[in-house]
Amino acid sequence: MRLLIVGALSGQLTAATRIAIDKGAAVVHADSVDMALRTLRSGRGADLVMIDVAMAIGDLIAGLEAERIHVPVVACGTSTDARAAVNAIRAGAKEYIPLPPDAEMIAAILAAVAADTRDLIVRDDSMAAVVRLAEQIAGSEASVLVTGESGTGKEVLARHVHRRSGRAGKPFISVNCAAIPEHLLESELFGHEKGAFTGAVARRIGKFEEATGGTLLLDEISEMDVRLQAKLLRAIQERVIDRVGGGKPVPVDIRIIATSNRNLADAVREGTFREDLLYRLNVVNLKIPPLRERSADVSALADHFARKYAEINGMPRRPISADARRELISAPWPGNVRELENTIHRAVLLASGDEIGVEAIRSPDGSRLGHGFGGRTEETVAKAAATAEAVTRSLVGRTVAEVERELILDTLDHCLGNRTHAARILGISIRTLRNKLNEYSGAGLDIPAPGEVRSVA
């Protein structure tokens, strides 16, 4: 986790920096916005920027956008400075951290940005076989494709491969291809030269060069535009890149690991993914089974998360009761490890008594976890059938386009405007979702921004 602190290191900001370092962050400091931009251009990248609320946050955000640098920004300042906090969020900061700093709040923000805080915990034979294969090929230079459903731990396994490789002492750089808009991703990966486009005031080093000597993880690579895939293929084959606007190839020495929650062979048939690139990436395929097929891992992970969140929240450690453990093992876990982690965190907060009982194992809406069709009572099945029939009748007389539009926008509301989460729930690519939203916006519809829902008339 690489953290860039922007502002004078005095008082509470110094304390925040010490906390971040104690939580495992590698911290770089910049006195000014200009210095921060120079740092980010130079190849000393950051996973998160923390800026003093008194600094020109709008100038930093504008500079990042103009130079196509994709990095989340959080502001920090005294808790009494409410106006400055509001202005920071309006300027584009993703979060506001009140000072004096709270260690657990900083830890939570760092953990939300950096997935490397997650541990690789394996007890189930099916997952153990995948890890053995990962360790067997870790020392090679072969490209690796890690596949599996969303939330199964693909990035965690990729980091494990890096730690077991000969490149372990070098950088591990992760790029989420689904989270970065198409027009920014090329510059993010390959960098750019001064004058390459309006706003490119200086050379910028991209992720390929940042990762030189180490490993570059291309997360959710199926979301990469086909035109950019051609440039990626050349980089993998020839070990050189071309910065945007550059005329001289730049040699790079990296190992590529890619992840996908989609079937790339299907994407090849659909024309959205290059077949030659798939062959280059898929030298070794590490296919992670879904959590519902790893019952031993469910139990071990649940114990781990129970200890972790008891400590984080300053609560007593409680064992998971036998009934609660059976409930966890029998749940379908469509969100996999990520969903299990959230469920246990919630259970730690809701539990009372000496154990985490079954009454604390709840969905976000407070209901019991689903157990699939086989575990339902006849009454529940009848209610579900009646609901399904009512929904079907409500669709009659409407066009497919109308139903699709309502489903997409309702799902986006459910995800508070988060495009990536909505696309995963809908089972479509982030590119397809963005195209649909652009279409709806052009038709005059209200499209929620990230963190928002549609306004209700």
Side-chain angles (χ1 to χ4, degrees):
M1 171 66 188
R2 301 167 302 164
L3 176 64
L4 173 61
I5 302 280
V6 185
L9 278 181
S10 59
Q12 302 295 349
L13 190 57
T14 302
T17 303
R18 283 199 298 267
I19 292 171
I21 293 173
D22 289 343
K23 298 299 179 182
V27 177
V28 176
H29 174 242
D31 288 322
S32 65
V33 168
D34 286 343
M35 184 181 292
L37 291 171
R38 287 198 298 272
T39 299
L40 293 171
R41 292 186 204 112
S42 70
R44 291 182 295 161
D47 301 302
L48 179 69
V49 174
M50 185 184 295
I51 182 170
D52 189 328
V53 75
M55 304 291 290
I57 296 176
D59 291 348
L60 175 63
I61 299 296
L64 294 174
E65 292 177 349
E67 299 191 48
R68 302 182 184 177
I69 299 174
H70 184 85
V71 59
V73 176
V74 298
C76 54
T78 60
S79 56
T80 57
D81 197 355
R83 183 181 296 275
V86 171
N87 289 339
I89 298 299
R90 286 176 176 170
K94 300 297 184 185
E95 186 60 81
Y96 178 80
I97 302 175
L99 299 177
D102 178 85
E104 299 312 330
M105 178 180 287
I106 291 178
I109 291 174
L110 296 178
V113 175
D116 57 333
T117 58
R118 299 178 191 169
D119 297 307
L120 183 62
I121 295 174
V122 179
R123 298 291 185 276
D124 200 274
D125 289 344
S126 62
M127 187 63 189
V130 177
V131 174
R132 284 196 297 272
L133 176 58
E135 293 175 347
Q136 181 179 339
I137 57 89
S140 73
E141 290 296 300
S143 297
V144 180
L145 179 63
V146 186
T147 57
E149 295 179 4
S150 178
T152 48
K154 296 187 290 295
E155 182 166 349
V156 176
L157 184 60
R159 290 181 182 274
H160 185 71
V161 171
H162 173 71
R163 287 193 295 267
R164 292 301 185 98
S165 74
R167 298 173 177 267
K170 299 295 183 179
F172 179 95
I173 304 296
S174 175
V175 180
N176 188 331
C177 300
I180 302 176
E182 293 173 20
H183 68 286
L184 300 182
L185 187 55
E186 182 176 9
S187 185
E188 189 75 10
L189 289 174
F190 302 111
H192 58 249
E193 295 288 355
K194 180 179 179 180
F197 48 82
T198 302
V201 298
R203 171 184 290 173
R204 185 263 174 107
I205 300 302
K207 299 301 185 185
F208 264 83
E209 290 177 83
E210 281 186 36
T212 291
T215 302
L216 178 63
L217 173 64
L218 299 175
D219 198 17
E220 303 302 352
I221 195 170
S222 58
E223 305 307 321
M224 182 181 291
D225 185 81
V226 173
R227 291 166 295 182
L228 190 53
Q229 291 174 25
K231 194 167 183 178
L232 173 61
L233 179 63
R234 177 174 182 261
I236 296 173
Q237 289 181 160
E238 302 180 20
R239 300 280 180 161
V240 297
I241 62 163
D242 295 311
R243 299 192 191 106
V244 178
K248 182 180 178 181
V250 179
V252 290
D253 171 27
I254 61 171
R255 189 210 199 143
I256 295 285
I257 302 179
T259 76
S260 178
N261 60 9
R262 299 176 61 202
N263 187 318
L264 291 183
D266 290 343
V268 169
R269 286 190 288 271
E270 294 165 3
T272 60
F273 202 83
R274 292 179 62 111
E275 186 174 26
D276 46 6
L277 178 58
L278 176 57
Y279 290 144
R280 283 288 177 180
L281 293 172
N282 199 21
V283 177
V284 178
N285 182 204
L286 301 176
K287 186 174 181 180
I288 302 180
L291 189 59
R292 59 185 171 273
E293 297 176 6
R294 297 154 47 190
S295 59
D297 282 355
V298 172
S299 187
L301 286 164
D303 289 334
H304 167 73
F305 293 137
R307 290 191 298 270
K308 172 182 175 180
Y309 287 108
E311 181 179 347
I312 285 177
N313 291 286
M315 303 180 73
R317 290 188 180 184
R318 297 183 179 97
I320 298 172
S321 72
D323 287 345
R325 197 174 297 277
R326 283 191 291 271
E327 181 101 349
L328 294 169
I329 291 173
S330 63
W333 301 118
N336 292 290
V337 179
R338 188 180 295 115
E339 182 186 2
L340 173 63
E341 180 172 5
N342 290 341
T343 299
I344 298 300
H345 189 175
R346 188 163 46 249
V348 167
L349 301 177
L350 296 177
S352 58
D354 297 330
E355 292 183 313
I356 296 176
V358 70
E359 71 284 348
I361 307 298
R362 298 285 171 178
S363 297
D365 62 0
S367 62
R368 292 279 299 275
L369 294 178
H371 296 287
F373 187 84
R376 298 176 181 171
T377 64
E378 292 184 6
E379 181 182 359
T380 303
V381 172
K383 287 181 179 179
T387 301
E389 183 179 358
V391 170
T392 302
R393 286 178 177 172
S394 72
L395 301 178
V396 175
R398 305 173 65 188
T399 67
V400 171
E402 289 173 341
V403 174
E404 178 188 63
R405 182 176 63 237
E406 184 173 324
L407 175 62
I408 288 175
L409 293 178
D410 284 349
T411 303
L412 197 60
D413 276 344
H414 172 75
C415 297
L416 297 178
N418 188 306
R419 272 67 172 159
T420 302
H421 292 172
R424 285 173 177 164
I425 290 173
L426 291 164
I428 61 177
S429 70
I430 190 69
R431 188 183 308 117
T432 299
L433 177 60
R434 287 184 179 133
N435 290 339
K436 291 289 184 182
L437 296 179
N438 289 337
E439 176 187 328
Y440 302 155
S441 179
L445 295 179
D446 179 29
I447 307 299
E452 298 178 355
V453 296
R454 284 174 291 169
S455 58
V456 180

